[in-house]
Amino acid sequence: MEARAKSSGTPYPIWVYGEYLTEPPKRPNGALRPVGHYIDKGGYPGANVYAVDISTLCKGTAAVDGRGSRIYTQDILLHEAEDEIGYFVVEDEETAVDVVWGEIVALGRLQAGDISIVGNTVDYPDFIEGMRYHVENGLNVPYLPSLDVMATPLPFLKMTCLKCGYVTLGCCYVARHKDCGGFFTMDFATKIYRKGEKEKAFA
Ligand SMILES: [Zn+2]
């Protein structure tokens, strides 16, 4: 099964993509590995195998996003329609759930061109809670084309604590302000525009 999971035998957990194995594969020298969960990245048999933390396992689905990236379970998808945005979390190989409204949709019903993978609930476990807080308090859901802007052309995230007003910049989504426990709302250090929005803004 095609999957990804976080490595468990490395100093820092990293995402490993490949074939998920429940039978421990032998090392290239023939030695046995202990019982556990593994992902084989492929190549020379037994050489690119990582022990993984099973609680972080995400299964590959048949769906891709607008950039052609394969969608995995637990991925957070930004859905951009004409005038509204929303987020879905991929529940299993077939279904996704609307983060705010709880509606369950078939993954295959989402148009690839309307969705982009912005992160996942393993790296951002409190994303859903953060977005729901916005809706419950009558605030607009933040537009976040990526929850980690580091490897993107996006500017830094500007996070404003909704409880104490503290403002900070960062490269990764954070749901709550540590010092006071309040939720952050966010936009970007410099204005970014959605598809078609810039043309409208400068028309
Ligand atoms: Zn605060």
Side-chain angles (χ1 to χ4, degrees), residues 19 42 58 75 82 93 96 102 124 136 147-148:
E19 187 68 18
C58 305
D75 273 348
E82 191 79 352
E93 291 103 313
Y124 304 96
E136 282 157 13
L147 301 187
D148 178 356

Side-chain angles (χ1 to χ4, degrees), residues 161-166 177 179-182:
C161 178
L162 292 164
K163 190 171 168 189
C164 75
Y166 174 78
H177 178 206
D179 293 355
C180 81

Side-chain angles (χ1 to χ4, degrees), residues 167-197:
V167 178
T168 186
L169 295 178
C171 59
C172 294
Y173 174 85
V174 179
R176 285 172 184 269
H177 178 206
K178 264 204 198 92
D179 293 355
C180 81
F183 280 98
F184 280 124
T185 190
M186 49 198 67
D187 53 20
F188 288 88
T190 53
K191 170 89 175 143
I192 62 156
Y193 294 92
R194 287 180 51 199
K195 292 178 213 161
E197 199 183 25

Side-chain angles (χ1 to χ4, degrees), residues 16-60:
V16 181
Y17 292 76
E19 187 68 18
Y20 171 66
L21 308 169
T22 47
E23 290 291 320
K26 284 185 177 162
R27 295 181 193 280
N29 65 7
L32 291 173
R33 287 186 164 89
V35 171
H37 300 274
Y38 295 91
I39 285 183
D40 188 342
K41 289 176 73 173
Y44 190 81
N48 295 309
V49 173
Y50 288 75
V52 296
D53 174 356
I54 189 66
S55 72
T56 65
L57 187 76
C58 305
K59 299 174 188 172

